[in-house]
Amino acid sequence: MTEEPDRATGPGAVEQSVEPGGQAPRSQEKGDLASQRANFESLLKKHYFGTYGFYRKLPERSRQEVFEEYRRGVGMDKIRKKIVSRLLQH
């Protein structure tokens, strides 16, 4: 007798809550963004500690812009230059 895998725990069984129109709920998006930003800041702190110190001195709006560039795939060299540039502007 062969056992069939339990469909509730098999591959593809994870359900994602989706609003009509195929969009993820806003609260989930915000949680994901907060998690992504925390990961970005952790990476910055671990590998570029000096730049992280400059980043923390930026106003929230500038930090958000830096994070958005990171999310779009801008390289870390450009991110670091932007952080320093923004710090010198403020």
Side-chain angles (χ1 to χ4, degrees):
M1 180 185 263
T2 61
E3 289 186 31
E4 280 189 39
D6 184 6
R7 292 191 187 277
T9 59
V14 176
E15 292 183 25
Q16 296 179 347
S17 59
V18 176
E19 291 180 345
Q23 297 290 329
R26 289 249 180 239
S27 60
Q28 184 178 357
E29 279 182 21
K30 287 182 181 178
D32 289 346
L33 284 177
S35 175
Q36 289 175 13
R37 184 166 170 181
N39 289 339
F40 164 69
E41 291 176 356
S42 178
L43 173 90
L44 202 58
K45 185 176 183 180
K46 184 176 181 179
H47 295 285
Y48 307 98
F49 190 74
T51 305
Y52 175 76
F54 294 152
Y55 170 82
R56 296 299 301 161
K57 292 180 181 183
L58 293 174
E60 175 58 26
R61 183 174 177 168
S62 291
R63 284 185 280 181
Q64 183 64 33
E65 288 175 14
V66 167
F67 169 65
E68 288 299 325
E69 287 203 12
Y70 171 79
R71 284 189 66 224
R72 286 194 306 266
V74 173
M76 195 54 80
D77 287 344
K78 290 184 180 182
I79 298 274
R80 294 173 73 199
K81 287 178 184 177
K82 181 172 187 124
I83 290 170
V84 172
S85 172
R86 287 297 173 110
L87 186 63
L88 293 174
Q89 289 175 0
H90 294 307

